[in-house]
């Protein structure tokens, strides 16, 4: 028994060494160049609500009643659209597969209007099979897929916000 655990431990150490040697590194906590952010519209849709929660204690998200000028960065969620389209049907014309999409357009700016990230779109999509005899189960699966896509988009937004550099912010007058 002891010999097996020693071999297992050596294998794990060897695997960790290989992964470390190739440059693999687990994603750690994000570091932001700002301490306060306003997410507009406030309160916004489900994505904005999840994004507010995701910051935790790393960045202070402005509450509804606080003036926008108190934020260092403003995230404008311009569009949050959920789509469901038919991908395939059977010979009888009954739906066999749907494609679910969440499309989010956003931009990042300073409260004074200087653009930090231009109008950008993130798209997530998933395919889901459909069966008339399991409608309730498929509705539940659809809800889970939408939540999964939303969480993926929130994580992408968090990583993009971590790349925002306040030092490179051009004033709105200089862009005219």
């Amino acid at each position: 028994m002891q010999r097996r655990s020693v071999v297992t431990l050596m294998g794990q150490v060897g695997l960790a060494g290989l992964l470390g040697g190739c440059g693999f590194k687990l994603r750690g906590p994000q570091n932001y160049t700002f301490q306060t952010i306003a997410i507009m519209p406030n309160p916004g849709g489900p994505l904005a609500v999840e994004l507010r929660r995701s910051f935790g204690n790393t960045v202070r998200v402005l509450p509804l009643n606080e003036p926008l000028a108190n934020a260092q960065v403003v995230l404008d969620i311009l569009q949050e659209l959920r789509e469901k389209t038919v991908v395939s049907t059977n010979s009888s014309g009954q739906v066999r597969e749907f494609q679910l999409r969440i499309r989010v357009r956003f931009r990042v700016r300073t409260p004074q209007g200087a653009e930090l990230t231009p109008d950008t779109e993130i798209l997530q999509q998933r395919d889901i099979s459909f069966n008339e005899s399991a409608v309730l189960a498929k509705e539940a699966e659809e809800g889970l897929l939408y939540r999964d896509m939303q969480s993926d988009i929130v994580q992408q937004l968090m990583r993009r916000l971590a790349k925002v550099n306040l030092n490179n912010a051009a004033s709105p007058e200089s862009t005219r």
Side-chain angles (χ1 to χ4, degrees), residues 59-77:
V59 174
R60 188 173 77 82
V61 180
L62 264 57
L64 183 60
N65 56 354
E66 193 165 344
L68 205 58
N70 291 352
Q72 290 176 291
V73 171
V74 177
L75 170 66
D76 292 313
I77 298 178

Side-chain angles (χ1 to χ4, degrees), residues 16 19-20 22-30 159:
L19 287 175
C22 74
F24 176 81
K25 182 179 140 189
L26 289 174
R27 242 185 238 136
Q30 300 291 343
R159 287 192 296 274

Side-chain angles (χ1 to χ4, degrees), residues 9 17-18 26-27 32 42 51 63 68 87 91 97 123 143 150 156 167:
L9 178 63
L18 285 173
L26 289 174
R27 242 185 238 136
Y32 302 96
N42 196 351
L51 187 60
L68 205 58
V87 175
S91 59
E97 190 172 13
L123 174 69
Q150 177 179 301
Q156 285 185 43
N167 300 328

Side-chain angles (χ1 to χ4, degrees), residues 29-56:
Q30 300 291 343
N31 295 320
Y32 302 96
T33 59
F34 52 90
Q35 287 80 41
T36 57
I37 186 170
I39 300 174
M40 304 304 290
N42 196 351
L47 185 114
V49 172
E50 184 175 341
L51 187 60
R52 279 186 183 83
R53 270 187 267 143
S54 296
F55 278 111

Side-chain angles (χ1 to χ4, degrees), residues 138-153:
K138 288 299 177 179
E139 283 180 8
E141 183 181 359
E142 182 179 322
L144 288 171
L145 287 172
Y146 273 127
R147 277 194 294 279
D148 181 52
M149 289 188 288
Q150 177 179 301
S151 294
D152 284 351
I153 289 174

Side-chain angles (χ1 to χ4, degrees), residues 122-166:
I122 297 176
L123 174 69
Q124 283 281 318
Q125 61 188 33
R126 304 281 191 278
D127 291 338
I128 181 173
S129 62
F130 183 74
N131 186 347
E132 306 83 33
S133 62
V135 174
L136 290 177
K138 288 299 177 179
E139 283 180 8
E141 183 181 359
E142 182 179 322
L144 288 171
L145 287 172
Y146 273 127
R147 277 194 294 279
D148 181 52
M149 289 188 288
Q150 177 179 301
S151 294
D152 284 351
I153 289 174
V154 165
Q155 291 306 311
Q156 285 185 43
L157 276 169
M158 300 285 285
R159 287 192 296 274
R160 290 179 189 210
L161 287 168
K163 299 294 182 198
V164 167
N165 189 353
L166 283 175

